[in-house]
Amino acid sequence: MNKLSIELSQKASAQQLLIIGVTSAGEQNAEFMQQDKLRKGQLSQAISDGIISGKKGNTQFVMRVNAKEPNLLLVGVGDTPLTLRHYREVLEAAAEAVNSSKHTDVHCTLPQAEYVGIDAQQALTHASLIFQNSQYRYNDESRGKAAKDPAPVLSRLTFPAVGLSEVEAQTAIAQGQLTALGMATTRTLGNLPPNLLNPEALAEHAKAMAKTHGLKCTILKRADMEKLGMGSLLAVAQGSTTAPRIIALEYKGGKGAPIALVGKGVTFDTGGISLKPGAGMDEMKFDMCGAATVVGVMQAVAELKLPINVVGVIPSVENMPAGNAARPGDVVTSMSGQTIEILNTDAEGRLILCDALTWTQREFKPKQVIDMATLTGACIIALGNHTSGLMGNDDALANDLLAASEQTYDRAWRLPLFDEYDEQLKSNFADMGNIGGREAGTITAACFLKRFIENDTPWAHLDIAGTAWVSGAKKGASGRPVPLLVQYLINQAQAEA
Ligand code: BES
Ligand code: MN
Ligand code: ZN
């Protein structure tokens, strides 16, 4: 990934491309007026002639008229003040235009308090994140030479530190950029094909990341899981020729009990014996995006050197149909001792997460547990592709996650976990079934997980089935919910300090 050099500078140099916002009505800002003056009123003339438009997301290059001035990229910002959504769309349009040009050095004046209804630091974080994230290309060598996307040529990006101290501005930039680099790791793991990214390979990737960023990495293999009595996870893994793994990544930057992140790592979900239909099944390679999020967040936390302790745990399996695969009707005993009737082998995520949750709590004694999983198709029906589902047993934790989701625009929405829903998991043959029927499928999946939370440990569950990847022409992992979780952990670190 092309890592930008992002710096502060009050003014664009003549060699840079200068990005300026243009509003659709009323007055233009000081940058615009200054460039207009240098160009003897050409820019305002072009606006009145309708050649330049302030329509939101419109982008237009304006050539320098002499060597002492920068080239311009005029970006329509529409009506101000911008909502966070529109501000981000404007930044995305600007980044796309920059990447379509050959400018290597850019000065961006879009993070302006007068445009956005958010504070200057957040405005800078969003800008750094969006520009760095726009550098991402999936160029694993398995893609083949001909298919590779050319890397953007941008190498340096400067922002004016409007209304911020140097330290505040640098902190904001680092948050945005390091979050985007974490997202890149998450996206690449998600995008890798399932023949290359099986549980063993995922463990190798996590180990390599841990080594580079100074994290402790522990890997459990099948024999370890057998000793621990993880009958539920092992039942999902038993039909695959690639062996399961549990990966633990430990970051120690502070004192006290860690926050645990647990991510679903099904490297391919065929549904097992309850086989999925064929159409679009390739997208079930993304069923490890919860796991990939854990790796990306742990990387960002390490690079940001947050003064807290965090442990990331990834249960990883491949869910395959086979002669030795688990059957609907099988009853298994989880590590917690609770028995489960597997009514549908396609509800496998919860079967691996439950044992991972038990192990995480007993091994690391975390003060909070947050799991993330592409867990239910029902979540896409409920919330579509814009919003992750959030559930949990602790209002304070849920509200803190919602706050982080608003700050980052990596949005989530809470669903209830009332006792009535839990009754849908009743089984005549075990402590519980692994499905709760068609109704409220996202909630009953969370009710299942809740049964494995011990001593009322504050726990939250993010169902990212609709948000972790994009389908269609731009098919690929999105890197969500890395921004939400990194922001949450930053907020926690600040609250503790
Ligand atoms: N990984 C899927 C959920 C999923 C489906 C995510 C489609 C994104 C897109 C999960 O393992 C699954 O198959 N869930 C079942 C649960 C059902 C059997 C209760 C589902 O959602 O259909
Ligand atoms: Mn499934
Ligand atoms: Zn799945």
Side-chain angles (χ1 to χ4, degrees), residues 308-449:
I308 51 173
N309 293 334
V310 188
V311 55
V313 175
I314 294 166
S316 184
V317 302
E318 187 179 51
N319 187 23
M320 297 295 266
N324 60 342
R327 293 155 287 259
D330 281 4
V331 171
V332 297
T333 304
S334 65
M335 181 181 168
S336 74
Q338 299 178 92
T339 58
I340 303 161
E341 184 186 11
I342 302 179
L343 290 163
N344 189 319
T345 64
D346 198 10
E348 84 297 341
R350 62 199 80 179
L351 294 174
I352 68 167
L353 284 167
C354 68
D355 280 338
L357 286 169
T358 302
W359 183 70
T360 300
Q361 291 169 93
R362 295 185 185 173
E363 183 75 15
F364 299 105
K365 314 262 181 299
K367 62 177 179 185
Q368 295 175 338
V369 180
I370 304 168
D371 78 73
M372 59 234 68
T374 48
L375 204 60
T376 66
C379 193
I380 312 175
I381 304 301
L383 298 172
N385 298 107
H386 306 295
T387 312
S388 304
L390 168 66
M391 286 141 278
N393 63 359
D394 188 89
D395 291 345
L397 173 58
N399 288 335
D400 288 345
L401 286 165
L402 287 176
S405 85
E406 291 297 325
Q407 278 175 286
T408 52
Y409 210 70
D410 182 2
R411 290 184 306 172
W413 202 258
R414 193 170 177 191
L415 301 173
L417 290 188
F418 302 134
D419 292 344
E420 286 87 340
Y421 294 108
D422 182 78
E423 290 167 18
Q424 290 175 229
L425 294 172
K426 199 183 160 327
S427 158
N428 288 350
F429 305 103
D431 289 325
M432 69 197 91
N434 76 329
I435 55 171
R438 250 171 57 82
E439 293 167 358
T442 303
I443 294 175
T444 53
C447 288
F448 180 96
L449 298 178

Side-chain angles (χ1 to χ4, degrees), residues 21 37 129 164 174 197 281 360 408 415 424 438 450 470:
K37 205 168 150 196
L129 187 152
L164 292 172
L197 194 88
M281 206 206 274
T360 300
T408 52
L415 301 173
Q424 290 175 229
R438 250 171 57 82
K450 188 177 174 211
V470 179

Side-chain angles (χ1 to χ4, degrees), residues 35-162:
Q35 291 300 321
D36 191 39
K37 205 168 150 196
L38 278 172
R39 288 166 168 78
K40 304 193 168 60
Q42 275 182 344
L43 297 180
S44 44
Q45 183 62 49
I47 287 187
S48 27
D49 291 348
I51 296 173
I52 289 173
S53 148
K55 191 165 164 276
K56 177 173 64 71
N58 200 50
T59 55
Q60 184 156 355
F61 289 99
V62 178
M63 255 170 63
R64 57 168 67 84
V65 281
N66 71 56
K68 282 189 232 110
E69 292 162 15
N71 278 334
L72 302 183
L73 173 62
L74 301 178
V75 183
V77 299
D79 295 325
T80 55
L82 278 79
T83 60
L84 182 52
R85 173 189 169 189
H86 288 160
Y87 173 57
R88 290 175 52 90
E89 284 174 2
V90 165
L91 288 166
E92 273 158 13
E96 198 184 305
V98 168
N99 292 337
S100 76
S101 80
K102 292 195 172 149
H103 290 93
T104 57
D105 195 349
V106 170
H107 183 70
C108 178
T109 64
L110 292 171
Q112 295 249 343
E114 59 189 286
Y115 283 170
V116 212
I118 56 173
D119 71 54
Q121 247 189 319
Q122 262 184 284
L124 209 46
T125 297
H126 282 281
S128 307
L129 187 152
I130 286 170
F131 270 93
Q132 182 61 64
N133 193 32
S134 79
Q135 304 302 299
Y136 178 79
R137 298 291 180 273
Y138 174 72
N139 274 336
D140 187 71
E141 57 184 83
S142 62
R143 189 166 174 184
K145 268 210 177 74
K148 276 190 182 175
D149 286 326
V153 296
L154 183 63
S155 70
R156 181 167 173 267
L157 175 64
T158 60
F159 293 109
V162 263

Side-chain angles (χ1 to χ4, degrees), residues 264-282:
K264 171 178 172 181
V266 177
T267 61
F268 195 73
D269 181 12
T270 64
I273 296 300
S274 313
L275 194 64
K276 286 183 182 295
M281 206 206 274
D282 65 289

Side-chain angles (χ1 to χ4, degrees), residues 183-306:
M183 290 168 80
T185 296
T186 299
R187 292 174 72 180
T188 293
L189 290 173
N191 290 336
L192 279 164
N195 58 328
L196 300 182
L197 194 88
N198 57 32
E200 296 165 21
L202 178 58
E204 289 311 310
H205 280 275
K207 209 155 104 187
M209 188 285 287
K211 197 167 173 210
T212 318
H213 296 91
L215 303 175
K216 181 174 173 194
C217 179
T218 314
I219 292 167
L220 304 188
K221 297 189 175 176
R222 199 193 303 264
D224 304 307
M225 301 175 203
E226 280 165 357
K227 267 189 222 136
L228 289 162
M230 295 182 167
S232 184
L233 186 156
L234 287 166
V236 182
Q238 76 193 26
S240 172
T241 52
T242 48
R245 293 285 185 269
I246 287 183
I247 307 152
L249 297 165
E250 288 172 80
Y251 169 76
K252 291 204 176 78
K255 290 195 191 74
I259 296 173
L261 306 175
V262 181
K264 171 178 172 181
V266 177
T267 61
F268 195 73
D269 181 12
T270 64
I273 296 300
S274 313
L275 194 64
K276 286 183 182 295
M281 206 206 274
D282 65 289
E283 296 195 1
M284 281 299 114
K285 74 172 182 176
F286 295 119
D287 213 16
M288 36 58 71
C289 281
T293 295
V294 170
V295 180
V297 171
M298 294 304 293
Q299 176 189 309
V301 165
E303 294 221 342
L304 284 161
K305 301 189 171 58
L306 295 186

